[in-house]
């Protein structure tokens, strides 16, 4: 049954390997708790039993975000069980989790982002192909706000240097075209013309960004290289996801239209993009507290 559901998620829903693996893991954990590793029994697989599992996860110290994901996985599974006629009634429809705190990843401020990206040209070994690659990758991440999984999946054919755009495949295999700026354009040109040929091996194929051994670069390597870059540039440590959020935050603070930011980031819902308005509101509140004569009591 789980194999059938996994095939459904992969081939019908078109979800990524990472997402499918997470969904199957969540449901397996719930199944073990709810059914005590027994065969599927509709009388045991109830809303009450599933809520008990979610409550147990909460008591065990799982974060709100994790428990919300577990509930989402169960709802997806329950809907599939009902459509596949394994159960007559979907026990997951009323599953709810506590509201998520609107906490965004750590971000760099614009000056720190500039310091990080400019540092690659200031190094004595700036012509090292891996540093040329790193500069291009992080200029692209900051310029476009794409996900690290989207970055590592890029091929040479996805790059349109004339129009300065990238063709990206996001979650659910949704395609979008994103523009990038002049700094990213310059870094990409150096990487493609000078750095990439030095790392290229036949196994690289059409991959845009390559690892040290010549194959397509891995997301974990991107994270490690960004950590090293932040350390060298003496800026706060940040993840590729944090660099994506930095880009979005700076665009919203600069007055970008939320719909445009939504399209750029590949968010399916505007509500997800609206989180960045809270960041901007927090910044404005701080300015008011510092500048307005009656903002604070003395």
């Amino acid at each position: 049954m789980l194999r059938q559901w996994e095939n459904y998620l992969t081939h019908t829903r078109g979800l990524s390997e990472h997402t499918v693996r997470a969904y199957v893991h969540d449901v397996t954990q719930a199944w073990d708790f709810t059914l005590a590793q027994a065969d599927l029994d509709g009388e045991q697989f109830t809303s009450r039993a599933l809520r008990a599992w979610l409550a147990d996860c909460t008591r065990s110290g799982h974060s709100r975000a994790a428990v919300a994901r577990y509930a989402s996985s169960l709802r997806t599974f329950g809907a599939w069980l009902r459509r596949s006629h394994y159960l007559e009634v979907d026990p997951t429809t009323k599953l709810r989790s506590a509201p998520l705190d609107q906490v965004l990843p750590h971000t760099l401020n614009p000056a720190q982002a500039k310091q990080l990206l400019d540092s690659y040209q200031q190094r004595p070994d700036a012509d090292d192909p891996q540093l040329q690659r790193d500069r291009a990758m992080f200029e692209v991440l900051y310029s476009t706000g794409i996900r690290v999984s989207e970055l590592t999946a890029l091929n040479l054919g996805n790059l349109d240097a004339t129009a300065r755009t990238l063709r990206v495949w996001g979650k659910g295999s949704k395609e979008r075209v994103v523009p990038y700026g002049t700094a990213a354009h310059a870094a990409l040109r150096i990487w493609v013309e000078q750095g990439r040929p030095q790392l290229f091996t036949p196994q690289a194929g059409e991959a845009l960004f390559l690892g040290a051994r010549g194959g397509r670069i891995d997301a974990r390597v991107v994270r490690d290289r960004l950590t090293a870059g932040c350390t060298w540039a003496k800026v706060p440590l940040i993840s590729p996801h944090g660099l994506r959020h930095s880009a979005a935050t700076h665009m919203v603070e600069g007055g970008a239209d939320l719909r445009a930011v939504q399209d750029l980031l590949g968010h399916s819902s505007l509500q997800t993009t609206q989180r960045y308005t809270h960041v901007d509101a927090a910044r404005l509140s701080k300015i008011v507290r510092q500048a307005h004569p009656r903002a604070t009591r003395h």
Side-chain angles (χ1 to χ4, degrees):
M1 181 189 297
L2 285 175
R3 281 197 297 270
Q4 291 177 20
W5 185 52
E6 186 174 354
N7 287 334
Y8 162 77
L9 295 174
T10 302
H11 302 296
T12 303
R13 290 282 302 275
L15 301 181
S16 70
E17 180 182 350
H18 174 78
T19 301
V20 171
R21 186 166 56 248
Y23 273 17
V24 172
H25 173 269
D26 297 345
V27 168
T28 301
Q29 296 299 309
W31 197 327
D32 289 347
F33 179 91
T34 305
L35 305 177
Q37 302 200 33
D39 292 335
L40 179 63
D41 184 338
E43 294 182 359
Q44 291 177 301
F45 203 71
T46 63
S47 296
R48 182 176 181 180
L50 295 174
R51 283 197 297 269
W53 176 65
L54 293 175
D56 183 72
C57 291
T58 301
R59 286 192 297 270
S60 299
H62 296 224
S63 68
R64 283 188 178 186
V67 175
R69 193 196 79 186
Y70 303 156
S72 175
S73 299
L74 288 171
R75 287 192 295 269
T76 302
F77 183 56
W80 177 81
L81 286 175
R82 176 69 184 84
R83 284 195 301 270
S84 302
H85 306 293
Y86 282 109
L87 293 177
E88 293 183 4
V89 177
D90 178 2
T92 70
T93 53
K94 295 183 180 180
L95 284 184
R96 295 291 181 268
S97 52
L100 291 179
D101 297 326
Q102 293 295 329
V103 178
L104 295 176
H106 294 298
T107 60
L108 300 178
N109 62 40
Q112 291 168 337
K114 182 178 187 302
Q115 184 174 332
L116 168 65
L117 297 171
D118 287 351
S119 71
Y120 287 96
Q121 295 174 276
Q122 298 163 358
R123 296 193 184 196
D125 53 348
D127 58 350
D128 178 273
Q130 293 193 62
L131 289 179
Q132 291 174 336
R133 175 205 61 202
D134 292 353
R135 177 193 169 202
M137 289 194 304
F138 304 140
E139 285 282 9
V140 167
L141 282 176
Y142 182 64
S143 182
T144 64
I146 63 175
R147 303 174 179 91
V148 65
S149 59
E150 296 168 343
L151 178 88
T152 58
L154 287 171
N155 291 327
L156 287 170
N158 302 140
L159 173 65
D160 185 340
T162 302
R164 272 195 250 159
T165 59
L166 292 169
R167 192 167 71 254
V168 176
W169 275 268
K171 292 184 176 181
S173 298
K174 293 180 181 178
E175 180 184 354
R176 69 186 190 279
V177 175
V178 296
Y180 56 84
T182 54
H185 177 71
L188 278 169
R189 180 177 56 79
I190 292 172
W191 159 245
V192 172
E193 294 179 2
Q194 300 177 24
R196 188 178 182 276
Q198 296 182 61
L199 295 182
F200 178 83
T201 65
Q203 68 177 0
E206 289 296 303
L208 177 57
F209 293 113
L210 310 181
R213 297 183 179 179
R216 184 182 297 274
I217 198 166
D218 184 85
R220 287 171 295 183
V221 177
V222 178
R223 284 190 286 270
D224 291 344
R225 297 293 294 190
L226 181 54
T227 297
C230 290
T231 301
W232 199 94
K234 295 182 174 57
V235 300
L237 298 183
I238 194 170
S239 67
H241 200 56
L243 200 54
R244 165 178 164 88
H245 280 266
S246 299
T249 301
H250 299 165
M251 283 188 287
V252 170
E253 289 178 351
D257 177 75
L258 274 182
R259 288 286 183 186
V261 177
Q262 177 189 4
D263 291 341
L264 190 67
L265 298 181
H267 287 157
S268 57
S269 169
L270 185 61
Q271 184 176 2
T272 305
T273 315
Q274 285 174 331
R275 294 182 300 171
Y276 298 104
T277 62
H278 300 310
V279 176
D280 201 33
R283 182 181 64 87
L284 292 175
S285 295
K286 183 177 180 181
I287 292 173
V288 169
R289 288 195 301 270
Q290 291 175 343
H292 198 285
R294 295 186 65 80
T296 58
R297 291 185 178 181
H298 298 284

